[in-house]
Amino acid sequence: MADDKPNCKVVLANNIAKSLLEEVHTGLKKIDRKPHLVGFLSSADPAARVYAEWTGKTCRENGFAFTLREVDRELLEDALLDANTDTAVDGIIVYYPIFGSRQDQYLQQIVSLNKDVEGLSHRYIFNMYQNIRFLDPESTKKSILPCTPLAVIKILEYLRIYNTILPYGNRLHGRHITVINRSEVVGRPLAALLANDGAHVYSVDIDDVQEFTRGVGLRKRRHEVVEKPGWTVENCLPISDVVISGVPGDKYKVPLHLLKPGAVCVNFSSERNFAPEVKEKASIYVPAIGKVTIVVLLRNLLMRQKRRS
Amino acid sequence: MADDKPNCKVVLANNIAKSLLEEVHTGLKKIDRKPHLVGFLSSADPAARVYAEWTGKTCRENGFAFTLREVDRELLEDALLDANTDTAVDGIIVYYPIFGSRQDQYLQQIVSLNKDVEGLSHRYIFNMYQNIRFLDPESTKKSILPCTPLAVIKILEYLRIYNTILPYGNRLHGRHITVINRSEVVGRPLAALLANDGAHVYSVDIDDVQEFTRGVGLRKRRHEVVEKPGWTVENCLPISDVVISGVPGDKYKVPLHLLKPGAVCVNFSSERNFAPEVKEKASIYVPAIGKVTIVVLLRNLLMRQKRRS
């Protein structure tokens, strides 16, 4: 509490990952067989290989079995179908981009629902947007959520942005959140998840701003999207309690002068979307999320495994 | 999650009081003697008698001893001085108004620091405004806080508005709070307490608006106050996450159309400052706080007792 240093809590992904890993380790003890994740590498992108190696390392360090299968991309579909029916395989992860086209989306639907730990199957994506949380009417089998958006959710839970005094499903009621990036992989599903949990979300893309909400008083069962013509970050940032940014590349920086004092800032870009001066204004700053994403993957795998046993 | 009913969690003071009482009961078990609270009734105000009886009932129900001493107001000062040195008295509460003038403030300073459970001694009030949390340099003896403002703090803790991931003392960093009422008894100390804990506070009175903050990045050790010329609730409410109102009488109502959707609303007036429609827009609503205030009094008494033993 000196008179010259700002008070901003910088929370590293590693610490959040540790707390999630405890939950994973507890879950592991309850099942008899070590879960087996198989990764398929058919991508020429060096980042894909790095991610594959990183998955393997994290699996082995935490009591999971991991096999990497390097497959010619023309043979990948058959290899996935084999893995789908192979009882020795508990979960499947595929490293993209492969064709870098719509064919990649086609391949994502090849992995069977029971082995998809990334949450990319249409059924899971549909449930996510529709705010349907279980696969069965008895609400015993949880629907899987995509890893990166779920990692952000887990981070906001860790940071107590989710208020546990509110009922499950509404715990972001009253939070105003800006998400910068509206990709189909992270930005848009994240905005939908946050709004489905009760937040008032401003989804910012290079072209426009959209508002994702469940309406005043959260009357709607799931979010709806409204265009905000003429809006930019100039309108969103000053009214946002939480700012989540994931613009690829090292050029984009969130304009810090627009931040509401004491905002919570989370960066999910591989580059830093927030200049270091964010600490002058934010109450909490999470500079990177990668380590949480990989633990969320293990958590999804464990959920699949528990369902099978 | 129907399509027509708003989602607002109404939290009753009774439930918050229960949770605080558990803490009090645990504390009681650790001391050998039943704490003895003495109430002095010299007031002609019937509300003072009601409050006195209510204190007695709550004390007896929760393992505290209570004695009510009805004293002619001209003899009160001597009676208080006697109680100050009486080892059979652990805590003193005086029911105001008595003279209804500055003489009442004089009497408040008669109760000794060790027996003041209401937190009205100048030393305690000074520490509160100065953000000094302990009486001793070794930080072993906590400074007592006035009951009603502290009750509001305890409510905001219960509602998770205090974020425990932030360091103690800064847990309201990023919260924007409007307090309507700036009395010396509740409104102004409450605004100061909230700002000292890191909040950005708009203190609204009939005449003007003042901003209580520790500066951007909470650089200041304690809050500072800045006038906001021309501001009214029209400016404060739309940017406030939490709205706390305590305007006496049944005429004043918070203008609900100005509320930020999902705001947290707390009423500390004996009348309702929020119309029932607040539930259309708020995420959490606390209609009254009286039952929490009295438990906070017992908690203060217990803190004094622990210090003596």
Side-chain angles (χ1 to χ4, degrees):
Chain A
M1 291 209 232
D3 270 64
D4 53 350
K5 226 175 94 236
N7 277 289
C8 175
K9 189 175 171 82
V10 178
V11 181
L12 301 179
N14 215 17
N15 292 328
I16 307 170
K18 269 185 202 155
S19 126
L20 280 172
L21 270 174
E22 283 176 28
E23 193 193 313
V24 166
H25 293 159
T26 307
L28 261 186
K29 284 184 197 136
K30 291 185 190 151
I31 55 176
D32 44 6
R33 193 162 65 91
K34 201 182 244 201
H36 181 206
L37 180 65
V38 176
F40 287 89
L41 185 62
S42 306
S43 173
D45 187 333
R49 179 173 297 272
V50 170
Y51 189 40
E53 283 165 2
W54 197 24
T55 325
K57 185 168 177 287
T58 310
C59 277
R60 282 184 289 268
E61 282 173 2
N62 291 287
F64 291 77
F66 180 78
T67 310
L68 185 63
R69 298 192 183 156
E70 300 198 40
V71 179
D72 184 284
R73 67 185 191 176
E74 298 301 338
L75 304 176
L76 179 59
E77 184 168 344
D78 282 343
L80 290 174
L81 292 171
D82 284 346
N84 276 346
T85 54
D86 182 349
T87 54
V89 177
D90 298 304
I92 294 171
I93 176 171
V94 181
Y95 299 97
Y96 294 96
I98 296 166
F99 293 94
S101 66
R102 286 185 59 180
Q103 197 169 341
D104 285 1
Q105 280 79 69
Y106 167 80
L107 285 168
Q108 283 172 1
Q109 303 313 316
I110 299 296
V111 178
S112 83
L113 210 61
N114 280 325
K115 305 215 172 164
D116 174 13
V117 291
E118 296 184 274
L120 300 175
S121 299
H122 173 76
R123 174 88 179 276
Y124 291 139
I125 302 284
F126 173 84
N127 284 354
M128 178 194 67
Y129 281 115
Q130 288 289 327
N131 201 14
I132 296 169
R133 302 197 176 211
F134 292 90
L135 289 169
D136 56 334
E138 296 77 26
S139 301
T140 61
K141 296 179 187 174
K142 268 199 153 181
S143 197
I144 290 281
L145 293 168
C147 294
T148 306
L150 181 54
V152 176
I153 301 288
K154 288 289 156 195
I155 287 166
L156 297 185
E157 284 179 356
Y158 181 91
L159 300 178
R160 324 284 200 263
I161 307 304
Y162 276 73
N163 188 340
T164 53
I165 199 147
L166 292 173
Y168 172 76
N170 292 348
R171 290 183 172 161
L172 292 178
H173 194 178
R175 306 296 194 198
H176 295 241
I177 304 180
T178 291
V179 178
I180 307 174
N181 163 324
R182 202 189 301 130
S183 71
E184 280 306 297
V185 185
V186 189
R188 192 167 82 93
L190 177 58
L193 279 169
L194 297 172
N196 283 345
D197 278 341
H200 198 113
V201 181
Y202 304 103
S203 165
V204 178
D205 208 348
I206 196 158
D207 296 319
D208 65 351
V209 173
Q210 295 177 354
E211 196 176 47
F212 288 54
T213 78
R214 276 174 44 211
V216 168
L218 307 188
R219 280 181 169 74
K220 306 268 168 41
R221 197 193 56 75
R222 66 180 191 91
H223 73 283
E224 59 183 14
V225 180
V226 175
E227 299 284 341
K228 301 294 279 181
W231 275 49
T232 68
V233 283
E234 302 248 346
N235 307 91
C236 312
L237 293 186
I239 55 175
S240 290
D241 315 307
V242 181
V243 178
I244 305 167
S245 186
V247 179
D250 56 3
K251 288 204 184 66
Y252 182 77
K253 297 286 170 195
V254 174
L256 299 179
H257 70 282
L258 295 174
L259 280 187
K260 181 171 157 177
V264 173
C265 297
V266 178
N267 173 58
F268 68 85
S269 171
S270 53
E271 306 296 329
R272 299 284 159 98
N273 283 180
F274 295 92
E277 293 73 33
V278 65
K279 285 175 258 178
E280 299 287 315
K281 254 184 142 177
S283 57
I284 302 177
Y285 171 47
V286 181
I289 74 159
K291 291 197 175 166
V292 179
T293 307
I294 206 141
V295 177
V296 162
L297 182 91
L298 297 185
R299 195 173 167 276
N300 278 354
L301 174 56
L302 201 62
M303 276 172 65
R304 293 278 66 73
Q305 178 85 344
K306 277 198 282 191
R307 185 186 303 168
R308 285 157 49 102
S309 66
Chain B
M1 288 210 233
D3 271 65
D4 54 350
K5 224 174 96 245
N7 277 287
C8 175
K9 188 175 173 83
V10 178
V11 181
L12 300 179
N14 214 17
N15 291 326
I16 307 170
K18 267 185 203 155
S19 126
L20 280 172
L21 271 174
E22 283 177 29
E23 195 193 311
V24 166
H25 293 160
T26 308
L28 262 185
K29 283 184 199 138
K30 292 186 189 149
I31 54 176
D32 45 7
R33 193 163 64 93
K34 201 181 245 199
H36 181 206
L37 179 65
V38 177
F40 286 88
L41 186 62
S42 309
S43 173
D45 188 333
R49 180 173 296 273
V50 171
Y51 189 40
E53 283 164 4
W54 196 24
T55 324
K57 184 168 178 287
T58 310
C59 277
R60 283 185 289 268
E61 283 174 1
N62 291 288
F64 290 78
F66 180 77
T67 310
L68 185 64
R69 298 194 182 154
E70 299 199 41
V71 179
D72 184 282
R73 66 183 190 175
E74 298 301 340
L75 303 175
L76 179 59
E77 185 168 343
D78 282 343
L80 289 173
L81 292 170
D82 283 346
N84 276 346
T85 54
D86 183 349
T87 53
V89 177
D90 298 304
I92 295 171
I93 176 170
V94 182
Y95 300 98
Y96 293 96
I98 296 165
F99 293 94
S101 65
R102 284 184 60 178
Q103 198 170 342
D104 286 1
Q105 280 79 69
Y106 167 79
L107 285 168
Q108 284 172 1
Q109 303 312 316
I110 299 296
V111 178
S112 82
L113 210 62
N114 280 326
K115 305 217 171 162
D116 174 13
V117 291
E118 296 185 274
L120 300 174
S121 298
H122 173 75
R123 173 86 179 277
Y124 292 139
I125 302 284
F126 173 83
N127 283 354
M128 178 195 66
Y129 282 115
Q130 288 289 326
N131 201 14
I132 296 169
R133 304 196 175 211
F134 292 91
L135 289 168
D136 56 334
E138 296 77 27
S139 300
T140 61
K141 296 180 188 172
K142 266 198 156 182
S143 197
I144 290 280
L145 293 168
C147 294
T148 307
L150 181 54
V152 176
I153 301 289
K154 288 290 156 194
I155 287 166
L156 297 185
E157 283 180 356
Y158 180 90
L159 299 178
R160 323 281 200 267
I161 307 304
Y162 275 73
N163 189 338
T164 53
I165 199 149
L166 292 173
Y168 172 75
N170 292 346
R171 287 181 175 163
L172 291 178
H173 193 180
R175 305 295 194 202
H176 294 242
I177 304 179
T178 291
V179 178
I180 307 174
N181 163 324
R182 202 188 301 130
S183 70
E184 280 305 298
V185 184
V186 189
R188 193 168 82 93
L190 178 58
L193 279 170
L194 296 171
N196 283 346
D197 278 341
H200 198 112
V201 182
Y202 304 104
S203 167
V204 178
D205 208 348
I206 197 159
D207 296 319
D208 65 352
V209 172
Q210 295 177 354
E211 195 177 48
F212 287 55
T213 77
R214 277 176 42 211
V216 168
L218 307 188
R219 281 182 169 74
K220 305 266 166 41
R221 196 193 55 75
R222 66 179 191 92
H223 74 283
E224 59 183 13
V225 180
V226 175
E227 300 283 341
K228 302 293 281 179
W231 275 49
T232 68
V233 282
E234 301 247 349
N235 307 91
C236 311
L237 293 186
I239 54 174
S240 290
D241 315 306
V242 180
V243 178
I244 305 166
S245 186
V247 180
D250 56 3
K251 289 204 185 68
Y252 182 78
K253 297 286 171 196
V254 174
L256 300 178
H257 70 281
L258 294 174
L259 279 186
K260 181 170 155 177
V264 173
C265 297
V266 178
N267 174 58
F268 68 86
S269 171
S270 53
E271 306 295 329
R272 299 285 158 97
N273 284 179
F274 296 92
E277 293 74 33
V278 65
K279 285 175 257 179
E280 299 287 316
K281 252 183 142 177
S283 57
I284 303 177
Y285 171 47
V286 181
I289 73 159
K291 292 196 174 167
V292 178
T293 307
I294 206 141
V295 177
V296 162
L297 183 91
L298 297 185
R299 195 173 167 277
N300 278 353
L301 174 56
L302 201 63
M303 276 172 67
R304 291 279 67 76
Q305 178 85 343
K306 276 199 282 190
R307 186 187 301 170
R308 285 157 49 101
S309 62

